[in-house]
Amino acid sequence: MAHTAAAPDTVSLGKTGAQAEEAGPRHRWWILAVIGLAQLMVVLDATIVNIALPSAQADLGFSDGNRTWIVTAYSLAFGSLLLLGGRIADLFGRKPAFLVGVSGFAVASAVAGAATSFEMLVAGRALQGLFGALLAPAALSLLTTTFTDPRERAKAFGIFGAIAGSGAAVGLLLGGVLTEYMDWRWTLFVNLFIAAFAIVGGSLLLRRTARDRGSRLDIPGTVLVTTGLFSIVYGFSNAESHDWSSPLSWGFLAAGAVLLTAFTRWQTKAPHPLLPLRVLLDRDRGASFVAMLVSSAGMFGVFLFLTYYLQLSLGFSAVQTGLAFLPMVGALMLSATLSTSTLLPRIGPKIVVPLGMVLGAVGMVWLTGLGLDSTYAAHVLPPLLVTGLGIGLIMAPAMSVATSGVAAEDAGVASASVNTMQQIGGSIGTALLNTLAASAATSYLVGKNPTDKLTQAQAALESYSAAYWWSAGFFAAGALVTALLYRRGVPAVDADAAPTVHM
């Protein structure tokens, strides 16, 4: 079976000799740079606006209750439309999907950055989520179909996984710098510069591929999964700001579960399924989806509550808080590249990913010992480094295995599934940990003077500690599940399942 039409550059390698062999890798690594920039932009926007929220609130005059919608509008649109975005990339081409996604994200960022009202800011953030849902799976599927040589794939996924895992921390730093030294609007305008490089690079380097004219979009499946994911994300978002007993919380969560069950059932008989079950039912791929879900939920114990601790308990500025996370980013990048280039090809994910989960759990437990008199170098930095090493061992290998061996026509929706697990995990982590932390603080204040500043500070520590313990529980559960699910040894690469398609 020839792949000449789909991959002209691959076929030409044999014809042009050393010159094409030299140009090929250089072309692919430039593509990785473009994809990495786009992915960084999407991941940054999950956290970069958080630090700017107080300034935006003071400028636009919206209430504390409405403040959460600046974050929720993005996550709702992004999380609920990811699978649709992935299938659009498969059906209409990954290059058009990528370029439209980047361009639309830039326009939405400009709208949000120029907002003159709360409603305009929320609309801009929702548009960011919509175009991000098209961009993110297109970027990951481009990576999957561009790097098919095992050695190159390992390096590429190590770099991409490091970007995906560290983007949230980089967002905190960049958000702090831009808010403190420029203006909160620049946390959104900065995307215009990143997008410009990605658009130019994508236009020059990416190649169009022939689309299957016989494929159709699964409309019933799209409606079911989009409304189902929307309900799940919205339910958890409401649980964070309201209560678990609120119908807006459990009602939407229950509706989401029913809709996703109906979606799964429909996929077994749909003529052109949105998410073919063959993508999900592979054991190693399923374990990777679980790893992304659990690690994303657990990571919020670091990024969210350690940010509170550094700023409110130790008195760090926004910039200092962002800088405090940089060593963790370095450790994460080191372990991400090492895990995919060295460990995964030799011992497989069954050891690597659970080991990362164990390190994540150890780091979280270590953080529970932080107090009001703790110092950064002696008490915060060591568990941060351990946690960073752990997350790198989880995310890069899980992304690589989740998209390995997928047929080219399913690469977009498989990539979207990875992003969906990451987004849903983040929503679950935010809602659960915030609720549990608030409950721990309330329990501590029982019988004490709630107006005493030292008591308030200690109550905050109790809330952070509860979040760390639960995050450790997430990672520990992830270690057990992934150790049981992953097959032994190095996953076999089926050359026929994923033909080489350099775009």
Side-chain angles (χ1 to χ4, degrees):
M1 182 176 177
H3 301 297
T4 307
D9 53 330
T10 305
V11 177
S12 67
L13 279 174
K15 296 180 180 180
T16 58
Q19 183 181 0
E21 189 175 350
E22 180 185 358
R26 186 165 62 243
H27 181 67
R28 290 193 290 276
W29 294 112
W30 276 111
I31 287 176
L32 174 61
V34 172
I35 295 171
L37 271 176
Q39 176 67 17
L40 180 63
M41 185 172 66
V42 173
V43 179
L44 279 177
D45 269 74
T47 57
I48 193 172
V49 176
N50 291 13
I51 288 180
L53 279 179
S55 299
Q57 184 178 5
D59 194 4
L60 299 180
F62 52 86
S63 67
D64 288 345
N66 284 334
R67 188 168 60 186
T68 58
W69 279 105
I70 309 303
V71 177
T72 304
Y74 179 82
S75 61
L76 276 176
F78 186 67
S80 59
L81 294 171
L82 271 166
L83 284 177
L84 174 59
R87 183 47 83 190
I88 288 174
D90 287 334
L91 292 179
F92 300 102
R94 284 174 274 280
K95 177 177 180 176
F98 179 84
L99 293 177
V100 170
V102 174
S103 303
F105 200 96
V107 171
S109 299
V111 170
T116 55
S117 66
F118 168 74
E119 291 77 13
M120 186 175 173
L121 180 56
V122 170
R125 289 286 287 166
L127 280 175
Q128 279 186 312
L130 185 153
F131 285 105
L134 182 62
L135 169 60
L140 185 52
S141 61
L142 280 167
L143 189 71
T144 301
T145 54
T146 298
F147 291 91
T148 53
D149 176 78
R151 288 175 179 260
E152 289 189 350
R153 179 185 173 88
K155 293 177 183 177
F157 269 88
I159 295 169
F160 192 83
I163 292 171
S166 62
V170 175
L172 291 174
L173 171 59
L174 191 56
V177 170
L178 292 173
T179 302
E180 188 163 326
Y181 295 111
M182 297 182 73
D183 185 79
W184 69 268
R185 297 179 186 277
W186 280 99
T187 62
L188 295 155
F189 288 149
V190 69
N191 291 325
L192 300 177
F193 298 96
I194 301 174
F197 286 104
I199 291 169
V200 172
S203 300
L204 294 175
L205 296 173
L206 301 178
R207 296 189 179 184
R208 288 183 179 272
T209 51
R211 50 171 292 215
D212 183 0
R213 299 288 178 180
S215 295
R216 297 288 183 270
L217 187 62
D218 175 15
I219 300 298
T222 299
V223 172
L224 286 171
V225 77
T226 301
T227 53
L229 290 173
F230 179 93
S231 298
I232 294 290
V233 176
Y234 188 75
F236 278 115
S237 298
N238 271 291
E240 180 187 355
S241 55
H242 294 77
D243 190 79
W244 290 100
S245 61
S246 168
L248 290 177
S249 301
W250 64 261
F252 272 95
L253 290 173
V258 171
L259 288 165
L260 292 180
T261 301
F263 167 74
T264 304
R265 187 177 182 84
W266 168 250
Q267 295 307 281
T268 63
K269 55 185 179 181
H272 300 283
L274 179 71
L275 178 59
L277 294 186
R278 61 179 177 270
V279 174
L280 298 178
L281 295 180
D282 178 82
R283 186 170 158 182
D284 285 339
R285 197 170 296 124
S288 296
F289 290 149
V290 171
M292 293 300 298
L293 180 79
V294 172
S295 61
S296 297
M299 275 169 54
F300 273 86
V302 186
F303 294 131
L304 187 61
F305 293 96
L306 192 57
T307 297
Y308 292 158
Y309 171 75
L310 291 173
Q311 291 191 346
L312 301 180
S313 299
L314 297 189
F316 280 32
S317 68
V319 175
Q320 287 175 319
T321 300
L323 289 171
F325 281 102
L326 282 187
M328 176 187 175
V329 172
L332 192 155
M333 289 182 169
L334 175 66
S335 63
T337 51
L338 178 67
S339 63
T340 52
S341 62
T342 304
L343 299 179
L344 194 63
R346 294 183 180 180
I347 59 178
K350 192 174 183 68
I351 295 176
V352 176
V353 175
L355 175 60
M357 293 285 186
V358 170
L359 288 176
V362 169
M364 290 292 102
V365 172
W366 200 339
L367 287 172
T368 62
L370 294 177
L372 296 175
D373 57 349
S374 297
T375 62
Y376 174 77
H379 304 100
V380 178
L381 182 59
L384 260 187
L385 292 174
V386 171
T387 305
L389 290 172
I391 293 172
L393 290 177
I394 298 167
M395 298 199 76
M399 282 185 171
S400 180
V401 174
T403 54
S404 178
V406 179
E409 63 268 21
D410 294 331
V413 76
S415 303
S417 299
V418 173
N419 284 286
T420 300
M421 292 298 167
Q422 196 173 0
Q423 183 65 28
I424 297 299
S427 297
I428 293 172
T430 303
L432 282 179
L433 295 179
N434 266 319
T435 303
L436 294 164
S439 177
T442 301
S443 298
Y444 178 82
L445 290 173
V446 172
K448 300 180 177 67
N449 180 8
T451 60
D452 180 65
K453 289 189 176 181
L454 183 59
T455 301
Q456 290 177 347
Q458 195 60 45
L461 286 181
E462 290 294 322
S463 70
Y464 306 153
S465 181
Y468 301 144
W469 275 114
W470 278 95
S471 291
F474 290 153
F475 282 116
L480 178 62
V481 172
T482 53
L484 291 173
L485 283 181
Y486 276 120
R487 297 186 182 95
R488 292 182 181 276
V490 180
V493 178
D494 182 359
D496 293 329
T500 303
V501 183
H502 298 308
M503 294 197 243

